Amino acid sequence: FEAADFIDETAVLGPGESLVLFTDGVTDARVGREVFGEQGLGTVLTSSAGLSAADTIGRIAATLDQAEGGLRDDIAVLVLRAPGDLPQRRR
């Protein structure tokens, strides 16, 4: 695209942290009567804390498999996970 603006960003992932990239087909999917949205994706990602990248994608895919009327847009998800375990949260 001639008019596209691109920005370089740097992210440092700590042990066990993940970076999740996705297309709008993920958040626009209708799961049940609701649009999956960023909130739905956030819920799935929160429940996936500590899982491998493949298992995280599996959880997203399993949720989107419930899409009402099938998926209407193409979907792409990339999960990059830094090696190691997430630090234990202090209570």
Short mmCIF file of all heavy atoms in Angstrom, two decimals, residues 47-87:
data_model
loop_
_atom_site.label_atom_id
_atom_site.label_comp_id
_atom_site.label_asym_id
_atom_site.label_seq_id
_atom_site.Cartn_x
_atom_site.Cartn_y
_atom_site.Cartn_z
N SER A 47 -6.61 -17.62 30.18
CA SER A 47 -6.73 -19.02 30.60
C SER A 47 -5.62 -19.89 30.02
O SER A 47 -5.47 -21.04 30.41
CB SER A 47 -8.10 -19.59 30.20
OG SER A 47 -8.17 -19.79 28.80
N SER A 48 -4.84 -19.34 29.09
CA SER A 48 -3.76 -20.09 28.46
C SER A 48 -2.39 -19.77 29.05
O SER A 48 -1.37 -20.26 28.55
CB SER A 48 -3.73 -19.77 26.95
OG SER A 48 -4.95 -20.12 26.34
N ALA A 49 -2.35 -18.96 30.09
CA ALA A 49 -1.07 -18.57 30.71
C ALA A 49 -0.27 -19.82 31.07
O ALA A 49 -0.79 -20.76 31.67
CB ALA A 49 -1.30 -17.71 31.94
N GLY A 50 0.98 -19.85 30.66
CA GLY A 50 1.86 -20.96 30.97
C GLY A 50 1.84 -22.08 29.95
O GLY A 50 2.68 -22.98 30.01
N LEU A 51 0.90 -22.03 29.00
CA LEU A 51 0.83 -23.08 27.98
C LEU A 51 1.84 -22.80 26.87
O LEU A 51 2.30 -21.67 26.69
CB LEU A 51 -0.57 -23.15 27.38
CG LEU A 51 -1.71 -23.56 28.30
CD1 LEU A 51 -3.02 -23.62 27.52
CD2 LEU A 51 -1.43 -24.91 28.95
N SER A 52 2.15 -23.82 26.10
CA SER A 52 3.03 -23.65 24.95
C SER A 52 2.33 -22.81 23.89
O SER A 52 1.10 -22.62 23.93
CB SER A 52 3.39 -25.01 24.35
OG SER A 52 2.23 -25.59 23.74
N ALA A 53 3.09 -22.31 22.92
CA ALA A 53 2.51 -21.54 21.83
C ALA A 53 1.48 -22.39 21.07
O ALA A 53 0.38 -21.92 20.76
CB ALA A 53 3.61 -21.06 20.88
N ALA A 54 1.81 -23.65 20.81
CA ALA A 54 0.89 -24.54 20.07
C ALA A 54 -0.40 -24.76 20.86
O ALA A 54 -1.50 -24.76 20.28
CB ALA A 54 1.57 -25.87 19.78
N ASP A 55 -0.30 -24.97 22.17
CA ASP A 55 -1.50 -25.17 22.99
C ASP A 55 -2.35 -23.90 23.07
O ASP A 55 -3.57 -23.97 23.11
CB ASP A 55 -1.13 -25.65 24.38
CG ASP A 55 -0.63 -27.09 24.39
OD1 ASP A 55 -0.90 -27.84 23.41
OD2 ASP A 55 0.04 -27.47 25.37
N THR A 56 -1.70 -22.75 23.08
CA THR A 56 -2.43 -21.48 23.09
C THR A 56 -3.23 -21.33 21.80
O THR A 56 -4.42 -21.00 21.83
CB THR A 56 -1.47 -20.29 23.28
OG1 THR A 56 -0.79 -20.44 24.53
CG2 THR A 56 -2.21 -18.97 23.25
N ILE A 57 -2.60 -21.61 20.67
CA ILE A 57 -3.31 -21.56 19.39
C ILE A 57 -4.44 -22.58 19.38
O ILE A 57 -5.53 -22.32 18.88
CB ILE A 57 -2.34 -21.77 18.22
CG1 ILE A 57 -1.45 -20.53 18.08
CG2 ILE A 57 -3.09 -22.04 16.92
CD1 ILE A 57 -0.37 -20.65 17.05
N GLY A 58 -4.20 -23.75 19.95
CA GLY A 58 -5.25 -24.78 20.04
C GLY A 58 -6.47 -24.29 20.79
O GLY A 58 -7.60 -24.56 20.39
N ARG A 59 -6.26 -23.57 21.88
CA ARG A 59 -7.40 -23.03 22.65
C ARG A 59 -8.16 -21.99 21.85
O ARG A 59 -9.38 -21.94 21.88
CB ARG A 59 -6.93 -22.44 23.96
CG ARG A 59 -6.61 -23.48 24.98
CD ARG A 59 -6.80 -22.95 26.36
NE ARG A 59 -6.50 -24.01 27.30
CZ ARG A 59 -6.43 -23.84 28.59
NH1 ARG A 59 -6.64 -22.65 29.10
NH2 ARG A 59 -6.16 -24.84 29.38
N ILE A 60 -7.43 -21.14 21.15
CA ILE A 60 -8.09 -20.13 20.31
C ILE A 60 -8.90 -20.83 19.22
O ILE A 60 -10.07 -20.51 18.99
CB ILE A 60 -7.06 -19.15 19.70
CG1 ILE A 60 -6.38 -18.34 20.80
CG2 ILE A 60 -7.73 -18.23 18.68
CD1 ILE A 60 -5.15 -17.57 20.34
N ALA A 61 -8.29 -21.80 18.55
CA ALA A 61 -8.97 -22.53 17.48
C ALA A 61 -10.20 -23.26 17.98
O ALA A 61 -11.25 -23.25 17.33
CB ALA A 61 -8.00 -23.51 16.82
N ALA A 62 -10.10 -23.89 19.15
CA ALA A 62 -11.24 -24.61 19.71
C ALA A 62 -12.41 -23.66 19.99
O ALA A 62 -13.58 -24.01 19.77
CB ALA A 62 -10.83 -25.33 21.00
N THR A 63 -12.11 -22.47 20.46
CA THR A 63 -13.16 -21.48 20.70
C THR A 63 -13.77 -21.02 19.39
O THR A 63 -14.99 -20.94 19.26
CB THR A 63 -12.60 -20.28 21.48
OG1 THR A 63 -12.04 -20.75 22.71
CG2 THR A 63 -13.68 -19.26 21.77
N LEU A 64 -12.93 -20.74 18.39
CA LEU A 64 -13.44 -20.26 17.11
C LEU A 64 -14.18 -21.35 16.34
O LEU A 64 -15.01 -21.05 15.48
CB LEU A 64 -12.31 -19.69 16.27
CG LEU A 64 -11.66 -18.43 16.85
CD1 LEU A 64 -10.52 -17.96 15.94
CD2 LEU A 64 -12.68 -17.32 17.05
N ASP A 65 -13.91 -22.62 16.65
CA ASP A 65 -14.65 -23.72 16.03
C ASP A 65 -16.13 -23.65 16.37
O ASP A 65 -16.96 -24.23 15.68
CB ASP A 65 -14.10 -25.08 16.46
CG ASP A 65 -12.85 -25.47 15.69
OD1 ASP A 65 -12.56 -24.84 14.65
OD2 ASP A 65 -12.15 -26.40 16.15
N GLN A 66 -16.48 -22.92 17.43
CA GLN A 66 -17.87 -22.76 17.85
C GLN A 66 -18.55 -21.58 17.15
O GLN A 66 -19.67 -21.23 17.47
CB GLN A 66 -17.93 -22.54 19.36
CG GLN A 66 -17.32 -23.65 20.16
CD GLN A 66 -17.19 -23.29 21.63
OE1 GLN A 66 -17.97 -22.51 22.14
NE2 GLN A 66 -16.20 -23.84 22.29
N ALA A 67 -17.85 -20.98 16.18
CA ALA A 67 -18.38 -19.80 15.49
C ALA A 67 -19.73 -20.12 14.85
O ALA A 67 -19.87 -21.12 14.15
CB ALA A 67 -17.39 -19.31 14.44
N GLU A 68 -20.68 -19.26 15.12
CA GLU A 68 -22.03 -19.44 14.60
C GLU A 68 -22.03 -19.23 13.08
O GLU A 68 -21.55 -18.22 12.58
CB GLU A 68 -22.96 -18.43 15.26
CG GLU A 68 -24.42 -18.66 14.95
CD GLU A 68 -25.28 -17.76 15.81
OE1 GLU A 68 -25.35 -18.03 17.02
OE2 GLU A 68 -25.84 -16.81 15.26
N GLY A 69 -22.53 -20.21 12.35
CA GLY A 69 -22.60 -20.09 10.90
C GLY A 69 -21.27 -20.25 10.21
O GLY A 69 -21.12 -19.91 9.05
N GLY A 70 -20.26 -20.73 10.93
CA GLY A 70 -18.93 -20.88 10.36
C GLY A 70 -18.18 -19.56 10.35
O GLY A 70 -18.75 -18.51 10.60
N LEU A 71 -16.92 -19.65 10.09
CA LEU A 71 -16.09 -18.44 10.06
C LEU A 71 -16.28 -17.75 8.72
O LEU A 71 -16.28 -18.38 7.68
CB LEU A 71 -14.63 -18.81 10.29
CG LEU A 71 -14.36 -19.45 11.65
CD1 LEU A 71 -12.95 -19.99 11.71
CD2 LEU A 71 -14.60 -18.45 12.76
N ARG A 72 -16.43 -16.44 8.74
CA ARG A 72 -16.72 -15.69 7.52
C ARG A 72 -15.52 -14.92 6.99
O ARG A 72 -15.61 -14.27 5.98
CB ARG A 72 -17.87 -14.74 7.80
CG ARG A 72 -19.12 -15.47 8.24
CD ARG A 72 -20.24 -14.49 8.50
NE ARG A 72 -21.37 -15.13 9.12
CZ ARG A 72 -22.34 -15.75 8.45
NH1 ARG A 72 -22.30 -15.81 7.15
NH2 ARG A 72 -23.34 -16.29 9.10
N ASP A 73 -14.42 -14.96 7.68
CA ASP A 73 -13.24 -14.21 7.27
C ASP A 73 -12.03 -15.11 7.48
O ASP A 73 -12.07 -16.07 8.25
CB ASP A 73 -13.12 -12.95 8.14
CG ASP A 73 -12.17 -11.91 7.57
OD1 ASP A 73 -11.55 -12.17 6.53
OD2 ASP A 73 -12.06 -10.83 8.17
N ASP A 74 -10.96 -14.81 6.77
CA ASP A 74 -9.74 -15.59 6.98
C ASP A 74 -9.17 -15.26 8.35
O ASP A 74 -9.40 -14.19 8.90
CB ASP A 74 -8.72 -15.33 5.88
CG ASP A 74 -8.32 -13.87 5.78
OD1 ASP A 74 -9.20 -13.01 5.95
OD2 ASP A 74 -7.14 -13.58 5.55
N ILE A 75 -8.48 -16.24 8.90
CA ILE A 75 -7.95 -16.11 10.26
C ILE A 75 -6.48 -16.50 10.25
O ILE A 75 -6.10 -17.50 9.65
CB ILE A 75 -8.73 -17.02 11.22
CG1 ILE A 75 -10.12 -16.46 11.41
CG2 ILE A 75 -8.01 -17.18 12.54
CD1 ILE A 75 -11.00 -17.27 12.31
N ALA A 76 -5.69 -15.69 10.91
CA ALA A 76 -4.27 -16.02 11.10
C ALA A 76 -3.90 -15.67 12.53
O ALA A 76 -4.30 -14.62 13.05
CB ALA A 76 -3.40 -15.26 10.12
N VAL A 77 -3.19 -16.56 13.18
CA VAL A 77 -2.72 -16.35 14.55
C VAL A 77 -1.27 -16.80 14.62
O VAL A 77 -0.92 -17.88 14.13
CB VAL A 77 -3.56 -17.15 15.58
CG1 VAL A 77 -3.03 -16.93 16.99
CG2 VAL A 77 -5.03 -16.79 15.50
N LEU A 78 -0.44 -15.98 15.22
CA LEU A 78 0.96 -16.31 15.45
C LEU A 78 1.23 -16.10 16.93
O LEU A 78 0.96 -15.02 17.46
CB LEU A 78 1.89 -15.42 14.61
CG LEU A 78 3.38 -15.56 14.88
CD1 LEU A 78 3.89 -16.94 14.47
CD2 LEU A 78 4.15 -14.47 14.15
N VAL A 79 1.73 -17.13 17.60
CA VAL A 79 2.08 -17.01 19.01
C VAL A 79 3.57 -17.31 19.14
O VAL A 79 4.04 -18.37 18.73
CB VAL A 79 1.27 -17.99 19.90
CG1 VAL A 79 1.72 -17.88 21.35
CG2 VAL A 79 -0.23 -17.71 19.78
N LEU A 80 4.30 -16.35 19.69
CA LEU A 80 5.72 -16.53 20.00
C LEU A 80 5.85 -16.58 21.51
O LEU A 80 5.36 -15.69 22.20
CB LEU A 80 6.54 -15.36 19.45
CG LEU A 80 6.43 -15.11 17.95
CD1 LEU A 80 7.15 -13.83 17.58
CD2 LEU A 80 6.99 -16.28 17.17
N ARG A 81 6.48 -17.63 22.03
CA ARG A 81 6.63 -17.78 23.48
C ARG A 81 8.10 -17.87 23.83
O ARG A 81 8.83 -18.69 23.26
CB ARG A 81 5.89 -19.02 23.96
CG ARG A 81 5.89 -19.16 25.47
CD ARG A 81 5.01 -20.34 25.91
NE ARG A 81 4.85 -20.38 27.33
CZ ARG A 81 5.72 -20.94 28.17
NH1 ARG A 81 6.83 -21.47 27.72
NH2 ARG A 81 5.49 -20.95 29.46
N ALA A 82 8.51 -17.04 24.78
CA ALA A 82 9.89 -17.09 25.25
C ALA A 82 10.08 -18.35 26.10
O ALA A 82 9.18 -18.74 26.85
CB ALA A 82 10.21 -15.85 26.08
N PRO A 83 11.23 -19.00 25.97
CA PRO A 83 11.46 -20.20 26.78
C PRO A 83 11.48 -19.88 28.27
O PRO A 83 11.77 -18.75 28.67
CB PRO A 83 12.84 -20.70 26.32
CG PRO A 83 13.39 -19.68 25.39
CD PRO A 83 12.35 -18.65 25.13
N GLY A 84 11.15 -20.87 29.05
CA GLY A 84 11.15 -20.72 30.50
C GLY A 84 9.75 -20.69 31.05
O GLY A 84 8.76 -20.76 30.32
N ASP A 85 9.66 -20.61 32.36
CA ASP A 85 8.37 -20.58 33.05
C ASP A 85 8.06 -19.18 33.49
O ASP A 85 8.95 -18.40 33.84
CB ASP A 85 8.39 -21.51 34.27
CG ASP A 85 8.52 -22.98 33.87
OD1 ASP A 85 7.95 -23.34 32.81
OD2 ASP A 85 9.18 -23.74 34.58
N LEU A 86 6.78 -18.86 33.51
CA LEU A 86 6.34 -17.57 34.05
C LEU A 86 6.68 -17.52 35.53
O LEU A 86 6.57 -18.51 36.25
CB LEU A 86 4.82 -17.41 33.90
CG LEU A 86 4.31 -17.16 32.48
CD1 LEU A 86 2.79 -17.28 32.46
CD2 LEU A 86 4.73 -15.79 32.01
N PRO A 87 7.12 -16.36 36.01
CA PRO A 87 7.38 -16.24 37.45
C PRO A 87 6.08 -16.43 38.23
O PRO A 87 5.00 -16.07 37.76
CB PRO A 87 7.90 -14.82 37.62
CG PRO A 87 8.05 -14.23 36.27
CD PRO A 87 7.39 -15.15 35.29
#
